[in-house]
Amino acid sequence: MNDVCVVGTGTTEFGVREEGIVELGVTAVGRALRSCDVDREDVDALYLGNFVAGMLEGQETLAPLVADSVGLVGVPTMKTEGACASSGIAFRQAYQAIRTGIHDVVVVTGVERMTSAETSEFTRALGSAADHGTDGATGLTFPGFYGLVLDRYMHEYGATREQVAAVSVKNRRNGASNPRARFRSPVTVEDVVDSRLVADPLRLYDCCPAADGAAAVVLASADVADSYTDAPIPVLGSGHATGRSAAYRYDDLTTLEATTLAAEEAYDEANISPSDVDVVELHDCFSAAEIGDSEDLGFFEKGEGAAAVAEGRTAVDGELPINPSGGLLAKGHPVGATGIGQIYEVCLQLLGEHENQVDGAEVGLAHNLGGSGAVSTVTVLGGPSRV
Amino acid sequence: MSESPPRFPATRCADCGHLYGHEAYICRECGSETFAEAPLDGTGTVYARTTIRVPGSDQQGEEPFEVAVVDVGGEETVRVTARLEENPELGPDDPVEFVDRRDGVFYFRAA
Ligand SMILES: [Zn+2]
């Protein structure tokens, strides 16, 4: 098995963008290629994660289209789809192709354009990530799914609405200093608990905003990585698992096993435990999701995640900084771009170049989740000294 | 307390006996494609509940409405995703009863 490194990164800002879907993808890929010394002739493949371009833009065949537009004619390309985990899956596939020796250099990108869609088209497209025949037929939305999760979580563990609101407060504070974020203004606990109900007990400021954007990385086999960059970021471990695809399928709605299984695989491969992680970007599509994720990833005992946030333990200067980028709650959630966007933020941390830098970050983790807990990828990355 | 609610239309794998609330195409336990009707006691409890105030495109105008995960049955239970007839007070562990199934959706109300 070959070791694999991130040798280049690129992104657009996340937010309301004027560019078309192809331009967004090409911009991120172009920036990733320019950030390192990879020639186009060295690229063996391009993998692209996207969720709703077919439905919202009427544009499919995105992977070859982006590849052709950046001058990568001839290489194999593919699109991966797993709702919000679409580009986490693309990363995983590229990683495995290099690890098993099929390719040496693969470009991975995630792209999405959502904000220009009509509301009805947008909600229909997002709703397609639920099981139409069961959850979908009742009218359960994604905020609704996490409303159910939070309802049960508060019932079982006694977490308070104010503790949960602390997630949005922290992430909006972090996002205020991230130039890639859609929301750049902080909010208070009162702002969150007074915002309008969306899916009880979740309120507007518990929910991430839609966004447009793209992010890209260049992955290379470790034996060639140093010819492309002085600071390769090794992929220490990777996990990818399927969970449940509808709310009724869970015995315990407060644990999404796609995450626990993907994390277990990634930790095993990296030969680390959760306590070895220095910085985390996890899938905070809703405040309730961040709390559950932080427990599913093994950072806190069941039921302690909400108090941990409220106590500041996950702040940038806390014992385990979670979402120093501002996460999805502040950066926004360009669904198919989110997974690579998280990996981009973790890479900046490991290079010591992040706007909200975590002191001495040597091991970083990115966690991507799609659908009603249906699919998850977990990626553990190390600082350049760990190659 | 109302009169005893209608039976809940569960199905049972004809080969291994596993119970299903929502339809299964093959049995998750044994792979069988054969199912038999196995109506259950229509009483149940709420496992988790939310009120949808911003609906998806197919439910525009119905908001607010309540969706819950419900454990239904007596000695044997199945877990289903269902609508609750309007009652924002219902929460985890509260008793509910089956009303009917309309357009493929199970409806429950406070018991
Ligand atoms: Zn069976």
Side-chain angles (χ1 to χ4, degrees):
Chain A
M1 291 287 191
N2 297 320
D3 289 331
V4 180
C5 296
V6 177
V7 297
T9 60
T11 192
T12 69
E13 293 174 17
F14 284 11
V16 179
R17 308 297 304 171
E18 295 298 319
E19 302 97 317
I21 186 98
V22 174
E23 185 178 356
L24 285 169
V26 167
T27 300
V29 169
R31 288 174 181 171
L33 288 169
R34 283 199 303 279
S35 75
C36 55
D37 292 324
V38 173
D39 293 330
R40 280 166 179 66
E41 299 75 57
D42 292 347
V43 175
D44 297 317
L46 179 143
Y47 295 168
L48 179 148
N50 172 261
F51 177 40
V52 289
M55 280 180 276
L56 293 185
E57 309 261 320
Q59 181 66 69
E60 289 282 15
T61 329
L62 268 178
L65 188 45
V66 168
D68 182 23
S69 302
V70 295
L72 289 177
V73 171
V75 303
T77 65
M78 69 169 174
K79 184 180 92 169
T80 59
E81 190 276 313
C84 318
S86 292
S87 62
I89 296 169
F91 183 95
R92 161 73 168 197
Q93 295 306 303
Y95 167 77
Q96 289 189 317
I98 295 171
R99 193 154 168 75
T100 53
I102 295 168
H103 295 313
D104 289 321
V105 178
V106 181
V107 172
V108 189
T109 186
V111 299
E112 205 76 78
R113 189 162 179 269
M114 306 170 74
T115 68
S116 56
E118 300 279 340
T119 304
S120 62
E121 291 305 306
F122 176 81
T123 55
R124 185 185 306 276
L126 280 191
S128 71
D131 178 9
H132 282 311
T134 59
D135 282 3
T138 66
L140 186 67
T141 58
F142 279 97
F145 177 78
Y146 280 98
L148 293 171
V149 168
L150 183 56
D151 187 48
R152 190 69 203 180
Y153 184 92
M154 292 170 73
H155 176 77
E156 283 192 28
Y157 300 114
T160 66
R161 227 354 304 217
E162 285 72 20
Q163 286 175 329
V164 177
V167 174
S168 300
V169 174
K170 168 181 68 72
N171 291 1
R172 290 284 292 260
R173 180 173 67 235
N174 293 346
S177 44
N178 183 348
R180 297 170 294 286
R182 173 168 183 181
F183 286 163
R184 306 285 304 281
S185 56
V187 297
T188 65
V189 168
E190 291 70 33
D191 291 336
V192 179
V193 300
D194 291 342
S195 63
R196 69 182 164 87
L197 282 162
V198 171
D200 310 28
L202 281 183
R203 293 171 179 273
L204 184 63
Y205 285 4
D206 291 301
C207 306
C208 70
D212 313 316
V217 294
V218 181
L219 287 183
S221 175
D223 30 324
V224 297
D226 60 3
S227 61
Y228 300 128
T229 178
D230 295 334
I233 309 251
V235 182
L236 303 178
S238 162
H240 177 189
T242 294
R244 310 284 167 156
S245 284
Y248 74 95
R249 291 281 302 132
Y250 288 86
D251 293 330
D252 177 0
L253 257 180
T254 69
T255 296
L256 306 186
E257 65 204 275
T259 295
T260 61
L261 295 170
E264 189 176 297
E265 184 184 10
Y267 288 139
D268 280 355
E269 191 172 271
N271 196 23
I272 63 164
S273 66
S275 61
D276 296 316
V277 176
D278 300 316
V279 61
V280 179
E281 291 286 334
L282 57 68
H283 206 87
D284 60 323
C285 45
F286 302 94
S287 55
E290 174 162 322
I291 291 166
D293 294 343
S294 72
E295 296 171 2
D296 291 345
L297 291 166
F299 301 129
F300 301 107
E301 295 294 319
K302 281 306 298 176
E304 291 183 2
V309 182
E311 291 162 4
R313 294 163 66 187
T314 60
V316 174
D317 61 356
E319 70 196 62
L320 179 62
I322 291 180
N323 289 326
S325 71
L328 285 59
L329 285 165
K331 276 191 82 181
H333 189 16
V335 172
T338 292
I340 301 296
Q342 294 170 316
I343 288 169
Y344 179 94
E345 300 287 338
V346 170
C347 287
L348 281 197
Q349 290 283 354
L350 297 170
L351 292 169
E353 296 172 359
H354 202 278
E355 292 83 354
N356 296 318
Q357 182 64 41
V358 172
D359 286 342
E362 285 268 316
V363 176
L365 181 145
H367 160 254
N368 201 192
L369 184 70
S372 306
V375 51
S376 178
T377 61
V378 172
T379 309
V380 179
L381 298 154
S385 67
R386 291 184 175 244
V387 174
Chain B
M1 215 41 197
S2 49
E3 294 169 30
S4 58
R7 305 278 283 168
F8 178 85
T11 57
R12 187 185 295 284
C13 171
D15 289 323
C16 78
H18 194 76
L19 267 181
Y20 291 89
H22 293 284
E23 285 98 338
Y25 307 116
I26 70 165
C27 177
R28 288 189 175 90
E29 302 298 317
C30 76
S32 170
E33 295 181 21
T34 309
F35 296 90
E37 290 182 6
L40 297 176
D41 179 347
T43 60
T45 53
V46 172
Y47 173 68
R49 176 208 145 268
T50 187
T51 302
I52 306 294
R53 296 171 192 275
V54 181
S57 47
D58 291 342
Q59 287 83 20
Q60 290 291 328
E62 296 177 35
E63 71 274 19
F65 57 86
E66 275 114 37
V67 177
V69 177
V70 173
D71 292 319
V72 58
E75 275 182 26
E76 288 185 298
T77 63
V78 289
R79 181 163 284 183
V80 294
T81 308
R83 279 275 190 109
L84 298 180
E85 295 199 331
E86 196 171 340
N87 190 334
E89 303 303 310
L90 284 174
D93 299 349
D94 284 340
V96 290
E97 61 186 30
F98 182 57
V99 177
D100 61 4
R101 187 175 200 188
R102 302 197 290 274
D103 298 329
V105 179
F106 301 120
Y107 284 78
F108 288 80
R109 68 178 167 222

